[in-house]
Amino acid sequence: MKSVTEQRLLVTGNEAAAIGVKLSNVRFISAYPITPQTTIVEKLAEMVSKGELKSRYVEVESEHSAMAAVYTAALAGSRSYTATSSHGLLYMHEMLHWTAGMRVPLVTSVVNRAIGPPWNVWADQSDSMNQKDTGWLQVYCESNQETLDTIIAGYKIAENRDVMLPLMSMEDAFVLSHTSEPVTVPNQSMVDEFLPEYKPEFVVDVNNPRGYGSYATPEGPFMELKYDMVSSMERAKSVIRDTLREYSDTFGREYSGLTENYMMDDADYAFITSGTLASTAKYVVNKLRKEGKKVGLIRIKFFRPFPQEEIREALKHVNAAGVIDRSVSFSAGGSLYSDVIASIYRKLDVPVSGFVAGIGGRDVRISDFEHMFSLVQDGTEGMQWIGLKEVD
Amino acid sequence: MVLMPIAETPSRNHKTDSWRVQTPVVDYSKCIRCMICWKFCPDDAIEISKTGELASPNFRISKMEVPVINLDFCKGCGICAYECPEKCIDMTLTGGVTL
């Protein structure tokens, strides 16, 4: 079903995120500016001041406070939102644990930017990869359209009573955040129907005081609460698949699930990556296919929960695969690489090469992908850094 | 459904007085009711109450509200005594918990 009233706009990834927030009827926003995220919350502040979005917008002195504000607003029953990048996200780290541990289903946008030193504002997923163990669901978007759609679907996934975990939606800095693309904006009434009002089971109430995250001894229920988060993360997989199917049916855009397979059906070799590197990878897959090389791509859209089953299924018949990380995990290669290896351990005998590429916003060119393809074909082991230059 | 870390009882029910070694004792005859101790207390263990029979430096101050330490939650950190501009809070070993 397609609505005749949906709009087609030329917008940046950050504007797309702000439109997604507006459509999701977010009632509380708090943020601290940081490049390249700033234009998201600037746009939202403008919408609030013009009365287009009926939301409270609270300015704070830091990202730590921003996350504290939105998570407590959500505890008080308001659908809430914040956005950040890089060092701002690192500064939120403690509150990320609180939000997930309190089972508050926020959606937060993260524009992936490098971590200093030295200062660098360009695309690099190290900031959000640093948060992979905080209990948040993580989505790496590939386009401005997906950025918008992920906010709306994200609230529905996070607020599902079987999930109740916050969700982080990523855009690569500048490649998406500041680059305009045509985006289809869904009709508000259809979004309202898809995403009902946020009604949490527990709401902070001064007349009925309870202990929120107050105290748990070694005897309990500390371990049980953490185990329940792990179980919810597992259950989130089917919720994600169902919700995205419903989203696709409602809004007419195809989202397959935790991963996107591109030309994988008969592939002998596979690239595995996330975010906008996947767009270049698709171009290279097409190019190599024309040269008669049977290569495909697995784009990891959800990094948390990690799509172990999808990866095992897609890699079943390939000869070799190469994982491209746009982040660094010092002395452990890349986070995507480690998790891909762990998910096939003793289940598939597929050689997997690991690559670190494009960090600090360095271009990953078609020729770089072709080079990585030849290394995958050769069964190169360990982590390779792509595009590294000689330094005097 | 999920497990949530929400207790039926508020955290006011978790008393932390047994953590205390030193106990603050306020000399109200020197206390100017500036509430700096209340502002700095990291545990929200100082309450502002209506003035009563407590001593005060002068008649005007005797009509003001007073900070009263709630010993159910005071962990004895001594920040109030350190910050007090009149130095009228004494950290004593008396009244501490004996093991």
Side-chain angles (χ1 to χ4, degrees):
Chain A
M1 183 171 63
K2 245 186 152 191
S3 165
V4 285
T5 54
E6 63 183 21
Q7 274 182 297
R8 191 91 169 135
L9 298 178
L10 186 65
V11 289
T12 63
N14 281 357
E15 285 173 286
I19 294 166
V21 171
K22 183 189 166 197
L23 288 168
S24 302
N25 293 312
V26 166
R27 291 288 164 254
F28 186 93
I29 300 160
S30 179
Y32 189 82
I34 183 167
T35 299
Q37 168 281 124
T38 309
T39 52
I40 300 179
V41 292
E42 267 178 7
K43 187 80 192 167
L44 287 169
E46 188 187 314
M47 289 170 175
V48 172
S49 71
K50 283 183 179 167
E52 295 166 11
L53 170 59
K54 285 180 184 52
S55 178
R56 266 291 290 280
Y57 187 102
V58 176
E59 288 171 37
V60 281
E61 77 287 4
S62 75
E63 286 85 355
H64 188 280
S65 301
M67 185 50 73
V70 291
Y71 124 73
T72 44
L75 268 182
S78 305
R79 183 174 287 149
S80 304
Y81 174 85
T82 188
T84 192
S85 274
S86 184
H87 290 260
L89 182 63
L90 303 188
Y91 196 17
M92 271 181 189
H93 182 74
E94 184 204 3
M95 296 316 296
L96 295 179
H97 279 280
W98 270 98
T99 306
M102 282 305 302
R103 314 304 299 263
V104 171
L106 288 178
V107 170
T108 291
S109 292
V110 172
V111 183
N112 283 131
R113 164 189 152 179
I115 301 168
W119 290 117
N120 174 309
V121 296
W122 291 275
D124 186 321
Q125 297 172 345
S126 297
D127 53 357
S128 57
M129 284 295 172
N130 265 250
Q131 317 305 330
K132 67 188 166 71
D133 300 328
T134 53
W136 284 58
L137 310 180
Q138 287 201 338
V139 190
Y140 289 83
C141 297
E142 194 199 341
S143 66
N144 294 354
Q145 182 72 59
E146 193 175 30
T147 301
L148 186 155
D149 293 331
T150 300
I151 305 273
I152 300 166
Y155 276 110
K156 184 146 179 161
I157 293 162
E159 291 170 7
N160 186 296
R161 286 289 158 87
D162 284 333
V163 179
M164 293 300 279
L165 287 168
L167 181 143
M168 210 180 266
S169 174
M170 267 58 80
E171 299 170 58
D172 280 331
F174 299 103
V175 185
L176 293 187
S177 70
H178 288 62
T179 306
S180 294
E181 281 181 347
V183 166
T184 301
V185 179
N187 172 278
Q188 181 70 63
S189 59
M190 282 169 74
V191 175
D192 292 347
E193 208 171 303
F194 174 81
L195 180 66
E197 205 186 322
Y198 174 48
K199 282 197 184 118
E201 196 168 348
F202 296 99
V203 174
V204 172
D205 176 8
V206 285
N207 298 316
N208 181 18
R210 296 191 182 99
Y212 287 78
S214 50
Y215 197 48
T217 61
E219 286 72 39
F222 187 89
M223 269 185 87
E224 291 70 22
L225 284 160
K226 300 296 168 190
Y227 182 75
D228 193 68
M229 287 171 73
V230 174
S231 312
S232 298
M233 196 61 104
E234 262 326 285
R235 281 202 302 269
K237 289 179 179 177
S238 59
V239 174
I240 290 163
R241 291 180 196 117
D242 294 347
T243 308
L244 291 182
R245 197 172 305 123
E246 190 190 338
Y247 196 92
S248 301
D249 292 346
T250 310
F251 299 101
R253 278 182 294 284
E254 196 53 46
Y255 290 112
S256 47
L258 285 87
T259 58
E260 179 198 352
N261 290 344
Y262 184 76
M263 310 282 267
M264 278 305 296
D265 288 346
D266 62 341
D268 290 335
Y269 299 96
F271 286 124
I272 302 174
T273 192
S274 66
T276 55
L277 284 184
S279 300
T280 318
K282 285 174 187 171
Y283 183 89
V284 174
V285 165
N286 291 343
K287 190 165 182 282
L288 290 170
R289 285 266 172 179
K290 278 187 194 137
E291 295 165 15
K293 289 155 183 156
K294 284 162 95 179
V295 56
L297 164 77
I298 305 167
R299 176 169 72 94
I300 297 183
K301 174 172 170 168
F302 276 83
F303 180 63
R304 288 289 179 270
F306 194 75
Q308 288 98 348
E309 298 82 359
E310 281 85 346
I311 286 169
R312 279 202 291 272
E313 185 59 34
L315 289 182
K316 224 179 229 171
H317 303 296
V318 305
N319 299 336
V323 183
I324 308 153
D325 272 277
R326 195 171 208 153
S327 66
V328 197
S329 176
F330 298 102
S331 182
S335 299
L336 278 183
Y337 175 71
S338 309
D339 285 4
V340 167
I341 298 278
S343 61
I344 64 167
Y345 177 67
R346 292 191 73 171
K347 293 197 168 69
L348 292 178
D349 189 20
V350 176
V352 181
S353 315
F355 305 105
V356 170
I359 62 168
R362 182 161 297 178
D363 276 339
V364 186
R365 296 172 182 277
I366 293 159
S367 55
D368 293 322
F369 272 94
E370 287 172 331
H371 175 51
M372 287 188 269
F373 177 67
S374 63
L375 292 171
V376 171
Q377 264 190 319
D378 296 345
T380 310
E381 286 179 18
M383 289 304 288
Q384 313 294 320
W385 282 53
I386 300 301
L388 209 55
K389 295 177 182 173
E390 290 285 330
V391 179
D392 293 329
Chain B
M1 293 302 274
V2 301
L3 267 185
M4 298 182 89
I6 298 173
E8 281 303 319
T9 51
S11 48
R12 291 297 272 184
N13 291 29
H14 297 298
K15 291 182 182 176
T16 47
D17 55 337
S18 68
W19 302 23
R20 191 169 65 235
V21 175
Q22 290 185 312
T23 300
V25 174
V26 186
D27 179 357
Y28 285 103
S29 71
K30 290 201 284 176
C31 169
I32 59 169
R33 286 33 168 183
C34 66
M35 305 302 171
I36 284 176
C37 57
W38 166 80
K39 223 174 218 178
F40 276 89
C41 176
D43 264 299
D44 201 13
I46 297 178
E47 288 162 8
I48 297 173
S49 15
K50 292 262 186 310
T51 191
E53 301 303 306
L54 294 169
S56 59
N58 61 44
F59 177 73
R60 196 174 53 83
I61 290 175
S62 74
K63 298 293 173 198
M64 294 177 178
E65 292 178 319
V66 282
V68 177
I69 294 165
N70 183 342
L71 292 175
D72 283 346
F73 298 104
C74 173
K75 294 170 184 166
C77 69
I79 288 174
C80 55
Y82 182 84
E83 296 293 344
C84 175
E86 298 299 311
K87 295 288 161 236
C88 67
I89 304 176
D90 192 18
M91 297 304 291
T92 64
L93 281 169
T94 57
V97 177
T98 46
L99 297 172

